């Protein structure tokens, strides 16, 4: 389930609960009801579904087993809002979530308020460490869905030929691209994984020694201008830079550039949560798949980092950067003030490491064991968080993961060699 949330007291968890639940609703404020019910592809869920699912988590794993004579809000929501937990029942098919007009948005918000009242009553009692761990998992789970909510609504709005903005009043920040340098690290045994205070997911442990050969890491992320040079050099026109599955995806889906890039009269634009904008050449490229990141790295005479290399490089850095609290919701240019920049925030950084368990890893029993372990197959690790990740949600040891063809997440590129 989770690493025990050492050092976190119940009063702090109760306050954190209120903050997280309120932030989810703040993120929906720019949306019309019609925006919140659309599913634009299988990987996307309607905003309404996110609101219901994160509430279902607390009802299913906290309130029903621990709140005495708790009565469920509506029985059928167990089926509608269960995502993938086979241990607690059937799930409504993911590709069809956009077909569900009922419960409507109003009823879903009533469901949230109902669960919140019962959760606040529960916090008036002294709760066990085990239950507090489940609540903390639920809150970090909701923060993951805050990021997903923004990823998904961006994809939904992109389907509209008028390219409407999620919010036309987002903060902005531009800068000039600093030079890309290489930062070297010596070979040696490294301790990898979580072993500290606070919250962490089970896939971040156990902490273990791992040999890391000497390597160099690029000082910043690859920019739009640098990626455009790859496109203009025929990067999408021939198979020589691509993994076999990647070239098959290029041909099948007719990729010619990153997701959300739009060419008008020979000028490149990028669709953002603030609407369609001129492409910022100095901002990090994002919404590229692992296949595209790997092809670019091969073209550039480098490679993607391994996740142990990334964690080694980030070990002594504070996990601060351009996260969702900036309300920019878009990667921005590096400042050029530190040897290693943009290690946290801006874009998730693809690694060449398959998502697999650490030595000695054992998933929890029951439904909580389904949270991470069942997905340790055919996916790749990304590190560092991105511009729509909640601030404070990520850590040096945080392991996120996506399938190699996926592009709707804010995935970017850092080179290694």
């Amino acid at each position: 389930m989770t690493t025990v949330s050492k050092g976190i007291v119940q009063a702090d968890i109760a306050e954190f609960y209120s903050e997280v639940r309120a932030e989810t609703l703040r993120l929906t404020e720019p949306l019309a009801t019609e925006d919140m019910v659309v599913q634009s592809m299988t990987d996307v869920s309607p905003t309404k579904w996110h609101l219901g699912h994160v509430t279902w988590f607390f009802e299913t794993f906290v309130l029903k087993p621990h709140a005495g004579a708790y009565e469920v809000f509506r029985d059928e929501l167990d089926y509608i809002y269960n995502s993938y937990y086979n241990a607690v029942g059937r799930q409504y098919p993911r590709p069809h979530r956009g077909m569900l007009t009922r419960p409507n948005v109003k009823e879903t918000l009533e469901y949230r308020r109902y669960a919140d009242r019962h959760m606040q009553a529960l916090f008036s009692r002294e709760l066990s460490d085990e239950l507090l761990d489940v609540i903390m998992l639920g809150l970090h789970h909701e923060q993951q869905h805050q990021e997903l909510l923004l990823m998904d609504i961006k994809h939904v709005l992109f389907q509209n030929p008028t390219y409407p903005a999620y919010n036309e009043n987002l903060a902005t920040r531009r800068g000039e691209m600093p030079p890309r340098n290489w930062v070297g690290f010596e070979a040696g045994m490294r301790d990898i994984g979580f072993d500290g205070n606070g919250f962490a997911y089970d896939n971040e442990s156990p902490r273990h020694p791992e040999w890391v050969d000497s390597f160099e890491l690029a000082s910043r992320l690859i920019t739009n201008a640098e990626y455009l040079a790859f496109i203009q050099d025929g990067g999408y026109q021939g198979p020589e830079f691509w993994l076999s599955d990647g070239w098959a995806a290029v041909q099948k889906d007719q990729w010619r550039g990153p997701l959300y890039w739009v060419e008008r009269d020979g000028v490149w634009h990028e669709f953002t949560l603030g609407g369609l904008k001129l492409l910022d050449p100095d901002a990090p490229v994002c919404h590229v798949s692992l296949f595209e990141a790997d092809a670019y790295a091969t073209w550039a005479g480098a490679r993607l980092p391994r996740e142990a290399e990334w964690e080694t490089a980030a070990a002594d850095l504070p996990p601060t950067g351009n996260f969702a609290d900036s309300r920019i919701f878009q990667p921005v240019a590096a400042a050029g003030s530190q040897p290693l920049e943009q290690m946290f925030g801006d874009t998730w950084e693809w690694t060449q490491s398959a998502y697999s368990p650490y030595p000695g890893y054992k998933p929890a029993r029951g439904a909580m064991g389904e949270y991470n372990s069942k997905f340790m197959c055919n996916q790749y690790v990304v590190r560092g968080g991105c511009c729509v990740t909640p601030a404070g949600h990520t850590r040096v040891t945080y392991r996120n993961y996506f399938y190699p063809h996926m592009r709707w997440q804010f995935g970017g590129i850092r080179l290694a060699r």
Side-chain angles (χ1 to χ4, degrees), residues 224-256:
N224 287 323
E226 290 168 327
Y227 198 83
L228 183 59
F230 167 67
I231 295 174
Q232 294 172 336
D233 195 41
Y236 285 84
Q237 305 306 312
E240 59 268 27
F241 305 120
W242 295 83
L243 297 170
S244 178
D245 286 351
W247 182 243
V250 169
Q251 298 304 295
K252 175 179 177 291
D253 298 321
Q254 294 296 296
W255 291 348
R256 293 296 178 262

Side-chain angles (χ1 to χ4, degrees), residues 145-178:
H145 278 270
Q146 290 170 359
E147 178 172 331
L148 284 165
L149 186 155
L150 291 169
M151 288 164 46
D152 290 357
I153 197 62
K154 183 173 183 178
H155 193 270
V156 166
L157 295 174
F158 186 60
Q159 310 313 306
N160 190 313
T162 66
Y163 300 122
Y166 158 79
N167 186 344
E168 295 179 348
N169 299 312
L170 295 177
T172 58
R173 190 168 84 227
R174 295 179 73 95
E176 294 185 3
M177 173 182 60

Side-chain angles (χ1 to χ4, degrees), residues 15 26 98 230 233 264 271 275 317 339 390:
E15 182 178 359
R26 277 193 291 270
F230 167 67
D233 195 41
R264 286 184 166 179
F271 181 70
L317 299 177

